Amino acid sequence: DIQMTQSPSSVSASVGERVTITCRASQGIGSWLAWYQQKPGKAPKLLIYAASNLQNGVPSRFSGSGSGTDFTLTITGLQPEDFATYYCQQAISFPLTFGGGTKVEIK
Amino acid sequence: QVELVESGGGVVQPGRSLRLSCAASGFTFSNSGIHWVRQSPVKGLEWVALISYDGGNKFYADSVKGRFTVSRDNSKNTLYLEINSLRVEDTAVYYCAKDNIFGVATALQYDGMDVWGQGTTVTVSS
């Protein structure tokens, strides 16, 4: 199974700051990676697909990069509605696997 | 609007069975592969199963293989998850979600799980 390791597991940041979340795959996954945002009591919401493509309707302050084993989700100019938990997920092979999540908290 | 709606969750005793449903609307259900994903505080987000657009291909997590069965009825735009021999560790919120793998068109890239249901809670307890 491909392990997806996210770091940090939590981060405290202020509105307007830049936040970077990393996701490392235990083996190469090309660009078969997605990023999701989840708020308490809600289903995950797709932010980024194919590692670097912004899903329709998602604000441009979100961006994704990387390929192979190392990936990054960046939020440039954190907004109050961005405080949530973020997950990466690989889809190059079964079982599909998710990272452990990164909780973005208010500083 | 594009929507997935799960139902069928509840509180069940270990060893019993349950059938979850996922009703789709607003998109061509019969063109899409659909996943079951579950989430618990202990294990986080865990992929459970995928069924291809036509039901011809099914994939399962090792933790559920042999106990869970995914199926679909494209005439009813509905996905099912039959869960047998329930264990305490199956306690979770179960989501259905669609993406572009094992859809009617070959996926040349991963477009992500773009539509999720609201989830249905399964609690296994004696």
Side-chain angles (χ1 to χ4, degrees):
Chain A
D1 298 4
I2 297 176
Q3 309 303 317
M4 305 300 290
T5 303
Q6 280 183 241
S7 60
S9 56
S10 66
V11 57
S12 293
S14 300
V15 171
E17 284 190 15
R18 174 175 168 158
V19 171
T20 300
I21 299 168
T22 64
C23 177
R24 175 163 287 177
S26 61
Q27 62 191 75
I29 62 170
S31 295
W32 287 71
L33 181 110
W35 288 97
Y36 303 90
Q37 176 194 67
Q38 188 178 32
K39 296 182 178 179
K42 300 293 188 181
K45 172 189 172 184
L46 177 65
L47 298 176
I48 301 287
Y49 65 92
S52 61
N53 294 273
L54 193 67
Q55 175 68 356
N56 286 344
V58 174
S60 58
R61 61 182 179 272
F62 291 93
S63 63
S65 64
S67 67
T69 59
D70 294 308
F71 301 87
T72 299
L73 174 70
T74 301
I75 311 171
T76 303
L78 199 65
Q79 295 300 301
E81 59 267 31
D82 300 336
F83 292 97
T85 301
Y86 295 83
Y87 297 92
C88 60
Q89 175 239 327
Q90 68 80 19
I92 199 169
S93 68
F94 293 104
L96 306 192
T97 46
F98 291 85
T102 296
K103 188 172 184 179
V104 177
E105 300 174 301
I106 301 172
K107 191 172 188 177
Chain B
Q1 71 275 26
V2 178
E3 197 174 27
L4 294 169
V5 178
E6 304 94 337
S7 60
V11 180
V12 293
Q13 293 179 326
R16 304 297 290 264
S17 298
L18 203 60
R19 188 174 84 157
L20 307 183
S21 299
C22 168
S25 59
F27 66 99
T28 306
F29 179 74
S30 58
N31 284 354
S32 296
I34 309 284
H35 301 264
W36 286 100
V37 176
R38 66 185 180 184
Q39 186 172 31
S40 66
V42 173
K43 293 185 181 179
L45 283 168
E46 181 186 16
W47 174 80
V48 172
L50 164 70
I51 186 167
S52 63
Y53 70 101
D54 61 354
N57 291 280
K58 303 176 184 180
F59 302 88
Y60 299 94
D62 284 347
S63 58
V64 307
K65 207 172 289 184
R67 299 189 299 122
F68 288 23
T69 302
V70 61
S71 62
R72 64 191 298 160
D73 185 339
N74 284 346
S75 68
K76 295 182 178 178
N77 285 353
T78 303
L79 175 78
Y80 303 100
L81 186 68
E82 192 79 34
I83 307 175
N84 297 315
S85 304
L86 273 157
R87 303 170 180 170
V88 171
E89 55 265 34
D90 295 322
T91 295
V93 177
Y94 284 74
Y95 297 101
C96 54
K98 81 169 190 70
D99 67 11
N100 68 319
I101 59 175
F102 280 91
V104 67
T106 300
L108 300 180
Q109 66 176 23
Y110 187 52
D111 290 345
M113 296 183 189
D114 61 342
V115 181
W116 294 67
Q118 85 288 355
T120 188
T121 301
V122 174
T123 302
V124 184
S125 173
S126 54

